[in-house]
Amino acid sequence: MEEEVEENRPRQVTGQCLQLSNMEEAEIHQSEECSVIHRTVGDRGHSPDCGTDSAKDQLAKPNNTDKDESGTMRELNQIVQVVWKNSSWWERHGIDWSIIGLSFCILPIGFPVPEIPKPLLSALGIVFLGLAHAVFSVKGSHMASHRTLCQSRTLGKIWATFFVELYFKVCSCIPVHCGDEGHVKLHHGYTNIIGLGDSSIWKVPYLSCGIYMFVAPLALPFITVLVGFNYVTRMSLFPALHSLFWIVFGLWSHFQLLVHVSGLSYSSALGCMYLSRALLAIPFIHVNIFQHIGLPMFSPSNHPRRLQLMTNAVLNLSRNKVLDWTFGHSIVSCHIEHHLFPHLSDHMCLKVKPLVSKYVHDHNLPYHEDTYMSRLRLFMSNYNELMVLAPPIAHLVEFH
């Protein structure tokens, strides 16, 4: 496991969260909006314009250094490294590979089943295809993007090319550079920092609560294709042609397999493609909003350092066999551990979870945990506050 590096650590403070008044909040939001507009992605000659802003150089430099908090992050990192070194290959990577391998194995079962006239068996085939699709497109692509599928850097790049560059485009049609820029660099680097990794990409304020929570996610298979083509139009010629080829090839190959292997008609094949890709779309949206939105949000000019930022801004959902299998522990039940140590595999996040939880509690830091249904009730009853209005900015203030 590579050494975790803290980036851009502005002023460190400890204590409780306070929210600003509406007037102060409005002024800060206005000033931040202006500053974010002027941020640039970087050297556009080396990366496509993906509609995200890398703003590392724009964040405030530390005005004050708290050695104690920095020390606790180093100490926690050392504890986790000991666990990593004492773990077998099976624990580090093998268990996750077994899940991916079993998902490959159910594909031959899923493809022939939809042609069977019995509705129950046809539905079972679509479920198999949908579960396998979720494992590859969510768990596999997520781990590949963080290079957690193996220890070798060379093999890591190969698997990233397969899951992210090939299969991720087959499933979601999002160019890999845009996913890396938005997820790995912004979301992980600046979690819940306004204008950067604040999860605002998931908000659609003009949709009502019921439509957003239970109807709109079903359009995700169509939306990702449109978003993918939109990204392609912003890229230079050769990267755009490369991405366009894999988007079209992925959709075409999926369609042809259903037509020629399953023996479906064109219309039935399109319907099966949609249903299998939309099978877990609703929980996918829910998980992504439940784990960050509604937690403390921070200003780019005044946010805590890594350990305190992640423990305040990230939430773990309770264990769920289906979601843990298809999305991965690092996305569902070990999200805090994943944000603290993004180079750990899914199973290793689960293994170090008790140690991280104990350490965080021993240092009087928050450790947010909740059930899926509890978060769902919270978002249903407070939808306007959480998903429509601008989030309040929190400051961690010192105890006196």
Side-chain angles (χ1 to χ4, degrees):
M1 182 186 67
E2 299 181 10
E3 186 81 18
E4 300 297 330
V5 179
E6 298 183 50
E7 300 179 87
N8 298 294
R9 304 164 179 151
R11 190 172 44 194
Q12 170 61 34
V13 286
T14 58
Q16 59 185 357
C17 274
L18 294 180
Q19 294 180 353
L20 302 180
S21 66
N22 292 334
M23 288 295 293
E24 293 172 322
E25 192 177 313
E27 292 175 359
I28 292 177
H29 274 291
Q30 184 177 6
S31 63
E32 287 175 359
E33 183 178 357
C34 295
S35 65
V36 169
I37 291 175
H38 291 89
R39 297 186 181 111
T40 59
V41 174
D43 187 355
R44 298 181 183 270
H46 292 81
S47 61
D49 180 4
C50 301
T52 58
D53 299 311
S54 298
K56 295 180 180 179
D57 295 336
Q58 299 294 330
L59 294 180
K61 298 298 181 181
N63 294 324
N64 183 28
T65 302
D66 188 334
K67 295 182 180 179
D68 291 335
E69 198 281 331
S70 178
T72 59
M73 185 63 213
R74 287 195 297 270
E75 187 179 6
L76 178 59
N77 190 39
Q78 290 171 357
I79 294 172
V80 171
Q81 284 194 34
V82 170
V83 177
W84 167 266
K85 292 177 181 178
N86 293 330
S87 299
S88 64
W89 178 88
W90 176 252
E91 292 176 304
R92 294 179 183 180
H93 308 292
I95 294 176
D96 293 307
W97 270 114
S98 67
I99 295 174
I100 296 174
L102 286 174
S103 300
F104 274 110
C105 292
I106 68 174
L107 283 178
I109 302 175
F111 273 113
V113 171
E115 69 176 337
I116 301 175
K118 295 182 179 180
L120 182 60
L121 291 178
S122 297
L124 184 61
I126 292 174
V127 169
F128 282 154
L129 293 177
L131 292 176
H133 171 85
V135 171
F136 302 146
S137 63
V138 181
K139 179 183 176 70
S141 295
H142 184 242
M143 292 185 65
S145 67
H146 287 285
R147 306 297 192 268
T148 60
L149 286 170
C150 61
Q151 293 175 247
S152 169
R153 291 186 179 183
T154 302
L155 287 177
K157 292 180 180 179
I158 293 174
W159 289 122
T161 300
F162 176 77
F163 281 104
V164 181
E165 191 72 22
L166 302 185
Y167 201 89
F168 190 63
K169 285 180 180 176
V170 171
C171 293
S172 71
C173 306
I174 305 299
V176 60
H177 296 295
C178 301
D180 286 346
E181 180 72 23
H183 178 74
V184 178
K185 294 182 181 179
L186 287 186
H187 176 63
H188 274 271
Y190 308 102
T191 304
N192 276 25
I193 296 178
I194 298 293
L196 299 171
D198 58 6
S199 298
S200 59
I201 189 175
W202 300 105
K203 295 186 177 183
V204 188
Y206 53 82
L207 294 182
S208 65
C209 176
I211 295 296
Y212 179 88
M213 298 296 288
F214 300 106
V215 179
L218 299 178
L220 201 60
F222 303 111
I223 294 173
T224 51
V225 174
L226 297 177
V227 171
F229 281 118
N230 181 48
Y231 281 142
V232 167
T233 61
R234 304 179 186 182
M235 301 167 69
S236 57
L237 180 60
F238 289 107
L241 291 176
H242 180 270
S243 294
L244 183 63
F245 170 79
W246 286 115
I247 290 173
V248 174
F249 176 77
L251 295 171
W252 177 82
S253 60
H254 191 182
F255 177 76
Q256 291 298 318
L257 284 172
L258 290 171
V259 170
H260 296 289
V261 176
S262 298
L264 299 179
S265 64
Y266 289 168
S267 59
S268 297
L270 290 173
C272 184
M273 284 179 65
Y274 166 74
L275 291 174
S276 62
R277 291 165 180 257
L279 180 67
L280 295 179
I282 292 177
F284 176 77
I285 295 296
H286 288 177
V287 166
N288 276 282
I289 64 176
F290 289 171
Q291 293 181 319
H292 296 287
I293 296 176
L295 298 177
M297 308 290 290
F298 300 97
S299 163
S301 61
N302 184 21
H303 64 82
R305 299 172 75 172
R306 183 179 180 83
L307 179 59
Q308 196 167 7
L309 175 64
M310 297 308 176
T311 54
N312 275 278
V314 187
L315 176 142
N316 285 344
L317 292 174
S318 57
R319 295 288 301 275
N320 182 295
K321 292 183 179 179
V322 175
L323 298 185
D324 282 341
W325 176 282
T326 53
F327 294 171
H329 298 298
S330 62
I331 292 181
V332 183
S333 57
C334 303
H335 206 51
I336 296 173
E337 290 72 20
H338 171 61
H339 269 259
L340 286 171
F341 305 100
H343 296 295
L344 286 180
S345 63
D346 281 356
H347 179 74
M348 286 303 298
C349 284
L350 182 64
K351 184 176 181 178
V352 304
K353 180 178 180 178
L355 296 175
V356 173
S357 174
K358 181 180 183 304
Y359 191 89
V360 167
H361 283 115
D362 288 347
H363 286 77
N364 297 317
L365 292 169
Y367 189 86
H368 300 296
E369 293 182 295
D370 205 352
T371 65
Y372 186 99
M373 294 307 299
S374 175
R375 295 298 285 179
L376 180 61
R377 288 191 293 268
L378 174 68
F379 274 72
M380 293 292 291
S381 59
N382 299 277
Y383 178 81
N384 192 60
E385 176 186 347
L386 295 172
M387 299 298 294
V388 178
L389 301 178
I393 298 176
H395 282 287
L396 299 179
V397 297
E398 292 183 338
F399 287 111
H400 295 286

